[in-house]
Amino acid sequence: MKLEALGLRELLELRTAVPADVADGTVLLRCDLPGSLQLYTVPLAGGELTQLTDGHDPVDGHFLGGADEILLERDHEGNEHTQLWRLAGGREEAVAVAPDFIHRDACLDQNRARIAYATNRDNGVDWTIVVHELATAEERTAFAPGGWTTPVGFSPDGKTLAVQRESGRSGDNDLYLVDLGRADATHITPHDDEAWFDAPVWTPDGSAFFVANNAGRDTRAISRYDVAAQRWDVVHATNWDVDCHGDDSGRWLLIHENDDGYSRLELLDRASLDVVAAVPLPGRGVVEAPVFSRDGASLAFKFSSSTDPGDVWTYDIDEGALRRLTELARPIAAEELTEPELHRYTSFDGESVPVFLWEPEGEGPFPVVVMVHGGPESQFRPGFLPSFTPFTQHLVSRGYAVAAPNVRGSTGYGKRYEHLDDVRLRLDSVRDLAALHDWLATRPRVDQKRAALYGRSYGGYMVLAGLAFQPERWAAGIECVGISNFVTFLEKTAPWRRAVREPEYGSLENDYDFLVEASPITHVDAIRAPLFIQHGANDPRVPLSETKQIHRVLTEKGIRCDLLVHEDEGHAIGKIENRVETFEKAAAFLDAVL
C-alpha cells in the first residue's frame, strides 16, 4: 500500500533537541520549538521544559557555576561573528563582545571560574587563545602562534590548557599543552603523516589524558598520553573511527564508534579501561553531543535517525536505565517515514563508494535526486538532518528516489579515503557522481534519465560541477551556498577562512591554473540543465558573489536559474520560515523540470 504524500511544512516543522550541559540535576539543552535553536532547561529526572532565550538567531551555551547562570554564545543573522555573554536572572552581561570579530569555541575549567576562547580580534585573520577570569573579567593571552587555533580543555587543576593548532596540511593538526603559570607551550604531537588529534579527556590527577587520533593509522583510535613520560600508547581501536568523552569526576571514558555512519556507544572505566557497558540506544541511528553530569552518574545525548527527528535521552549509569528526557510533539509518526538502504558502488578507478538509497513504494521507474553533503571533509550519516531529511522524506513520499553518497573525500572511512580528493584530485570526487549515475541505471525502479543533483556548501559546488562536467547525465540541480569559482571564492571568503580552505582546495599562489580548471564557471557554457539556487546574504564562508555570478551567466544564456536570497541568513538556514520557503520552492522547481 503506497503511503500518502507527506506535507513538506509538517516535516520541516518537526522539532528537535540537543543537550548542551548538565549541572545540579538539570540539563541545559538547545531546542527549536520557537523556530530556531534556543536554550531551555529541564530536570534530569524529567519534567517540563523552561525556556531561557527567545532570540531571532540560534544560540548555544554552557552552565557556569550552577544551573542558574549560563555562558551564552550567539552570532547575528548567520554572520558567524560569535559573541559571548553571561546570562543570569534573565539579564545578559557582556563577556567577550566585539561585533566586528569572532569569539569562538569557549571552554570552561572544572571549577567554572575561567573560560578560554579563540578570537581573531588582533588582526582579523590569526587566532589568539584568551583566558578570561569570570569573577574579575581579567583577560590574558595564553597562546598566539598564528594560524587556526582552538582551546580544547583545561587540566583538572586548571594549570594547563590543551590547544589544537592546524598545521596547514589537509586534515592535519597538533596538540599543545600551555602552562598557564609560565605562559609557555609544549608541542606534544610530533608526526610525519597527516593526522588529526581531538580534544583530551584527562585522568583525575592530570598525569595523563586520552585523545582520539589517527596518527600512524588509517582510522581514529584512542591513545593515552603520559604527561611526565611524554609517551603515547594506543589503548582502544576498532575497524571504524572512534572518539571519546569523559566526566569531570574522572570515572568514565565513553567510546563513540562511527560504524558505517551508525553510532555505537561503549562505556569504559577510565582507570582500568575495562568495558562497563554497551550503552543502549533507542534504535539504529546517530548520537550527537554526549555530555555527562559532573558527578558521572548520568549521560545525556541526542539520538536521531532517518525516521526520528531527535530527542534528548539520558542513561543512568548505576541503574543501567535509558530514558527519553524530551518528548517533542511528532505530528508525523515515525512509521510514516522511510529508512534508506546502505549500498556500495564501484567508481571509475575501482574505489568502493558508500551510498544511502531511498526508493518509494510502487513499480517506478522514479525520478531520482542525488544529495551530496558539504565539507568536503564530512560524512552523510543516517540521522535527521534539517537540510536533508525533511526534503528527502517529502520527495520519497511523492514518488522520488533519493541517493546520498559519501564520495571520496568524505570522513568516516579512514584518512586514505578522506584525502582522495585533495587539491588536484578534486575532480575525482566529481567522477564519483558519474559512477553513481551509472549505478543508478542498474536499479530497475530508478529512472536515471530524470536525475537531479542537490547539495549545500561544498555539496553545492558538486552540483554545479556535475552540471558543468557531466551535462549529459543530470536533468536539474538544486544548489545552496555553493562555490562556482574557486579563485573568486578564495579571494573573497572571510580572510581567516582562506588559510583554512587552501590546504584542501589548493592555493592561489601554487594551484591557480588548476583552480580555474576545476571551477564550474569556467565550463558554464556546457551547463544546460535548469538550476535552483539559495544563498544567505550574510554568508562569511561562501560569499553571495559566488551565486550571483553563476546566476547572471546562466540567465544570460537563457537557462532557467531560480534564485532565492535570504537577507537574514548566513551559510546555514537557521530560521524555520526560511527553511520552509527554500524547500517549498525547491520542490515546486523539481516538479516543474522533472
Side-chain angles (χ1 to χ4, degrees), residues 170-217:
S170 177
D172 186 76
N173 73 352
D174 283 291
L175 278 181
Y176 289 78
L177 294 184
V178 180
D179 185 319
L180 297 176
R182 296 186 302 175
D184 64 359
T186 303
H187 174 214
I188 63 168
T189 54
H191 58 279
D192 296 323
D193 58 333
E194 285 95 352
W196 190 267
F197 297 84
D198 284 347
V201 177
W202 292 82
T203 58
D205 62 1
S207 65
F209 53 77
F210 302 91
V211 171
N213 70 94
N214 54 9
R217 299 175 45 84

Side-chain angles (χ1 to χ4, degrees), residues 238-243 255-264 286 379-382 411-413:
T238 74
N239 292 327
W240 298 101
D241 280 346
V242 294
D243 58 34
I255 305 297
H256 183 185
E257 184 181 65
N258 175 356
D259 183 348
D260 230 346
Y262 293 91
S263 289
R264 191 190 313 275
V286 177
Q379 179 187 19
F380 177 86
R381 301 185 65 186
T411 55
Y413 307 97

Side-chain angles (χ1 to χ4, degrees), residues 17 21 42 51 61-62 64 95 132 134 206 261 263 314 328 342 351 388 400 426 434 446 543 563 586 590:
D21 206 349
V42 61
Q51 187 171 353
H62 306 275
L64 291 175
V95 173
H132 177 103
L134 289 166
S263 289
T314 62
L328 302 175
L342 176 59
E351 192 69 45
F388 282 86
Y400 287 83
R426 177 69 39 216
V446 174
L563 175 60
L590 280 180

